[in-house]
Amino acid sequence: MFSKISKSLAVMAIGTLALTACGGGSESEEGGEAAGGSELNLVSPGTLTVCSDIPYEPFEYEENGEYVGFDMDLMREIATGLDLELSVQDVGFDGLQSGAVLAAGQCDVGASAMTITPDREENLTFADPYYDSLQSLLVPADSDVATLEDLAGKSVGVQQGTTGEQYARDNVPADTEVVAFPSDAELYAALQAGNVAAILQDLPVNLNHTQEGEYTIAAEFETDEQYGFAFPKEGSEALVEAVNTELAELRDNGTYDEIYNTYFEEQ
């Protein structure tokens, strides 16, 4: 049996930061400068370019030819608040979480259910946390695996470069084979094919694989993980500040809760 994701899992404290601009002027004038790109140092002036590893439902996935999900909807609202267009690029998670994609100037921000960790902070700058998550173990409904210890002599699938992979390698029995896959799509297919006995990854993503009743959450693990939108280590200070301001506004005006309820309230 799996539990619902409580709204308390979402980070409830995002500090309201003032969006600073060079020189004086009204808020609308500041927004105009930001939209032009000179203030925010954007890859493409007038556009917020977002990189994400898709699909990773419910945070980012494609539906009817459009990128949607919790992260994507938040990014769309943030771009609107900054008077910017939104452009999304699908990239591999490993290059994104390492900072390589952002350092190369491919995009302005990484929005990909990325946990803030000290290692990642060496190469990335993060905005304020916007979501708290648990790790979890997904197994077939008739599986005898109920704990990590039950994986002894078996294999567990993880997504490479994630905190789920690290948690698995740190905590499964020594004779458990940890098999890393590029994305959730390949990971879930491996479980369906019986190539791995279980999947260890973020709870919200695993929950999406239980909806037909063939798979279930065997265990949940509290790891104190918080997601954050990621930015280049250098030169992104103004954009980080602007995104933090927009996140705070989305909390204050209720839009954050509306988006949250769209993806998590009924699970």
Side-chain angles (χ1 to χ4, degrees):
M1 179 178 294
F2 59 87
S3 63
K4 296 196 303 180
I5 301 176
S6 167
K7 191 175 295 184
S8 64
L9 288 177
V11 181
M12 299 312 297
I14 291 181
T16 303
L17 301 175
L19 175 58
T20 59
C22 297
S26 66
E27 289 185 8
S28 62
E29 288 171 340
E30 292 171 2
E33 288 186 31
S38 59
E39 175 71 14
L40 300 183
N41 194 27
L42 300 173
V43 171
S44 297
T47 299
L48 184 64
T49 305
V50 177
C51 281
S52 185
D53 179 25
I54 303 168
Y56 199 66
E57 193 173 352
F59 294 95
E60 36 267 337
Y61 59 100
E62 189 172 358
E63 185 175 81
N64 299 323
E66 182 180 21
Y67 290 130
V68 296
F70 187 58
D71 289 349
M72 296 296 100
D73 288 6
L74 285 176
M75 279 287 106
R76 190 168 287 106
E77 291 292 335
I78 289 169
T80 298
L82 295 174
D83 294 326
L84 299 171
E85 298 294 325
L86 180 69
S87 175
V88 179
Q89 296 185 21
D90 185 3
V91 303
F93 187 77
D94 205 37
L96 188 57
Q97 65 89 26
S98 69
V101 170
L102 288 158
Q106 188 170 339
C107 47
D108 302 304
V109 54
S112 200
M114 191 186 304
T115 300
I116 302 170
T117 68
D119 285 346
R120 289 173 180 165
E121 286 181 311
E122 291 182 5
N123 300 308
L124 296 166
T125 296
F126 285 93
D128 292 333
Y130 67 93
Y131 187 84
D132 283 2
S133 182
L134 303 175
Q135 292 295 327
S136 64
L137 197 64
L138 180 75
V139 299
D142 59 355
S143 173
D144 59 358
V145 173
T147 67
L148 292 180
E149 288 70 27
D150 294 333
L151 288 171
K154 298 181 172 65
S155 59
V156 59
V158 297
Q159 183 175 352
Q160 65 185 28
T162 64
T163 52
E165 177 182 9
Q166 190 60 54
Y167 187 84
R169 296 191 184 280
D170 289 344
N171 292 280
V172 298
D175 60 347
T176 300
E177 181 185 12
V178 179
V179 186
F181 295 86
S183 72
D184 175 64
E186 293 91 348
L187 186 55
Y188 185 50
L191 182 65
Q192 290 176 304
N195 295 331
V196 294
I199 290 174
L200 199 159
Q201 68 174 340
D202 293 357
L203 177 61
V205 183
N206 271 344
L207 278 172
N208 273 283
H209 298 315
T210 67
Q211 295 177 356
E212 302 301 321
E214 296 181 12
Y215 301 92
T216 188
I217 303 296
E220 299 175 10
F221 313 106
E222 294 187 8
T223 53
D224 297 324
E225 294 185 33
Q226 294 182 310
Y227 293 168
F229 297 129
F231 302 81
K233 189 67 176 177
E234 303 294 337
S236 60
E237 294 83 2
L239 182 56
V240 173
E241 189 173 6
V243 168
N244 282 338
T245 298
E246 292 301 321
L247 279 171
E249 176 61 23
L250 293 176
R251 292 245 186 227
D252 291 343
N253 64 24
T255 302
Y256 177 95
D257 287 341
E258 292 176 8
I259 296 173
Y260 181 94
N261 291 340
T262 298
Y263 296 100
F264 305 121
E265 187 70 5
E266 298 303 322
Q267 296 191 22

